[in-house]
Amino acid sequence: MSVTKAYAAQTATSKMAPLNIQRRTLRPDDVAIDILYCGVCHSDIHQAENDWGNSIYPVVPGHEIIGRVTSIGPNVTQYKVGDIVGVGCMVDSCCSCSSCHAGLEQYCENGMVGTYNGKDYYDGTLTSGGYSEHIVVREAFVLSIPDTLDIKAAAPLLCAGITTYSPLKHYGVKAGDKVGILGMGGLGHMGVKYAKALGAEVTVFTRSQSKVAEAKLLGADHVIVSTDADQMAAATLTFNFLLDTIPVAHDFNPYLNCLKVDGAHIIVGLVTGIDPPIWGASLITKRRILAGSMIGGIAETQEMLNFSAEHGINCEVEMLDIQNINVAYERMKKGDVKYRFVIDMNSLKK
Ligand code: NDP
Ligand code: ZN
């Protein structure tokens, strides 16, 4: 075991504050990683503040981790000391169910182990995420980071990147498709980049007039200000796919009406109840699909990293010292970040 400096929430209402935590002694297939950068995902806030009702404290968030390998267990073959690697939202799964065999570890039938707020399969200890100096992770859940990616900006690919890439690929988004991205935050701005790279015509739906010009700079072909009923009505029956990254309850009906026949509305943001309710007619009358998607499997995450390197795709980031994490959370709650905070973990040494 080794002591590691971290930042944690001790209760749903306490601010993030320093805490020393333990990292396990390496198992034969473990990789020890010195964390260089960690992205700040809205899920970190949900978990720290117990929005989903399942938080176990202390919560050390962070699942967009880039670091350098400092030691390896005797059975590790893919990584060596000094390699730059990534860790995303999961650090283990049962590896024996049909989902795991299909490369869909995120849907493990026995439960994947989250990078934080998860229970280790072997000793039952609580997992702690990337707002920390070091982490120890099973080799099979460590990603290789292509040399050409800027590693500061690549950290958020490990969650925001894969969460948007995976459903676009799964639903076969292709050249000429009309794709709408709902909410332009960390996930949303990556959704714009991947949908464009796949050849789609991309529209951003945002509440924020101030993001209209930037959405276009990031590659969006069109922008709809979602609070403008006329703009929403004009988009009726336009889209093949909507990727919904909005983190809070919102009215789905006006968005569903923007889908063509057989169009799909894919939820990645909202895990709690839909309020107001969806009208059956919003789906039935045009054979529309309402679906959900969670991150991506390990092989697909590696594919996304390689795709990002090939297409020159990275996140737009604001660098952050860990001491300012509480300010960052407040800004994210207001939609005020362009477009992902990334913590320089060197700041933890201050
Ligand atoms: P961000 O805070 O970076 O972005 C969310 C965006 O949603 C905002 O920028 C804003 O865009 C829009 N938004 C925020 N509040 C509202 C509101 N009240 N009404 C309408 N729109 C709103 O969050 P992330 O991108 O990091 O995460 C988005 C969601 O996805 C979170 O709930 C997170 O937990 C979830 N998530 C899901 C994953 C999965 O596997 N399915 C993985 C990772 C995250 P704008 O200003 O343009 O309106
Ligand atoms: Zn995340």
Side-chain angles (χ1 to χ4, degrees):
M1 302 272 265
S2 65
V3 175
T4 301
K5 282 190 196 172
Y7 257 62
Q10 293 283 4
T11 70
T13 52
S14 56
K15 298 281 181 205
M16 300 294 301
L19 177 75
N20 285 339
I21 57 167
Q22 300 280 346
R23 292 297 187 195
R24 66 175 181 252
T25 306
L26 260 64
R27 297 172 184 147
D29 59 351
D30 272 345
V31 176
I33 301 162
D34 191 356
I35 301 175
L36 300 171
Y37 300 106
C38 184
V40 181
C41 178
H42 210 110
S43 303
D44 298 353
I45 304 177
H46 290 309
Q47 200 75 69
E49 300 186 353
N50 200 21
D51 289 346
W52 300 325
N54 67 349
S55 298
I56 307 168
Y57 292 93
V59 173
V60 177
H63 57 202
E64 296 183 337
I65 299 167
I66 298 265
R68 186 176 284 109
V69 175
T70 52
S71 57
I72 54 173
N75 295 350
V76 170
T77 56
Q78 294 179 73
Y79 302 105
K80 58 181 190 315
V81 172
D83 284 352
I84 296 291
V85 294
V87 179
C89 304
M90 350 173 238
V91 287
D92 211 351
S93 70
C94 81
C95 297
S96 57
C97 72
S98 58
S99 293
C100 288
H101 283 153
L104 298 169
E105 299 89 350
Q106 75 275 33
Y107 304 122
C108 173
E109 287 159 26
N110 296 301
M112 61 89 155
V113 181
T115 304
Y116 56 82
N117 210 61
K119 282 239 167 95
D120 182 82
Y121 263 117
Y122 303 91
D123 60 19
T125 52
L126 179 67
T127 57
S128 296
Y131 296 6
S132 58
E133 285 179 299
H134 310 288
I135 193 165
V136 175
V137 180
R138 213 178 139 192
E139 174 183 29
F141 287 79
V142 175
L143 284 308
S144 174
I145 304 298
D147 291 344
T148 54
L149 288 177
D150 167 357
I151 58 170
K152 290 190 182 91
L157 297 179
L158 278 313
C159 173
I162 185 60
T163 301
T164 50
Y165 178 87
S166 180
L168 294 173
K169 291 287 286 191
H170 181 73
Y171 286 93
V173 169
K174 58 185 185 314
D177 284 343
K178 294 194 170 152
V179 173
I181 306 289
L182 279 47
M184 199 165 94
L187 267 58
H189 91 288
M190 293 311 299
V192 172
K193 294 188 182 200
Y194 290 123
K196 278 306 286 181
L198 294 168
E201 185 178 327
V202 179
T203 300
V204 166
F205 289 75
T206 177
R207 299 161 305 163
S208 316
Q209 186 69 47
S210 66
K211 292 184 184 171
V212 172
E214 281 183 34
K216 290 193 174 159
L217 280 178
L218 291 179
D221 300 289
H222 318 280
V223 182
I224 291 176
V225 178
S226 53
T227 47
D228 182 330
D230 292 339
Q231 289 190 38
M232 291 295 286
T236 302
L237 285 173
T238 302
F239 294 92
N240 305 98
F241 300 97
L242 295 174
L243 184 63
D244 185 343
T245 77
I246 299 172
V248 295
H250 53 284
D251 190 353
F252 280 58
N253 297 290
Y255 292 108
L256 288 168
N257 290 334
C258 294
L259 286 172
K260 293 176 192 267
V261 173
D262 287 333
H265 183 133
I266 305 152
I267 306 171
V268 291
L270 185 67
V271 300
T272 48
I274 294 175
D275 181 29
I278 290 173
W279 284 72
S282 300
L283 298 171
I284 293 167
T285 56
K286 296 287 181 289
R287 199 165 63 183
R288 295 176 176 122
I289 297 159
L290 180 64
S293 183
M294 186 170 72
I295 50 172
I298 293 297
E300 192 178 41
T301 305
Q302 191 64 59
E303 176 191 309
M304 172 278 306
L305 288 165
N306 299 345
F307 180 94
S308 303
E310 262 167 50
H311 292 261
I313 293 176
N314 244 337
C315 279
E316 307 300 313
V317 298
E318 275 193 55
M319 297 308 293
L320 184 74
D321 281 354
I322 188 93
Q323 291 78 4
N324 296 327
I325 188 69
N326 294 303
V327 178
Y329 278 13
E330 290 313 311
R331 282 188 50 198
M332 282 174 74
K333 286 186 206 167
K334 292 186 219 141
D336 173 24
V337 51
K338 297 201 169 154
Y339 279 91
R340 195 56 136 192
F341 286 115
V342 170
I343 308 166
D344 181 344
M345 292 313 308
N346 245 324
S347 59
L348 197 50
K349 299 190 169 73
K350 282 182 190 167

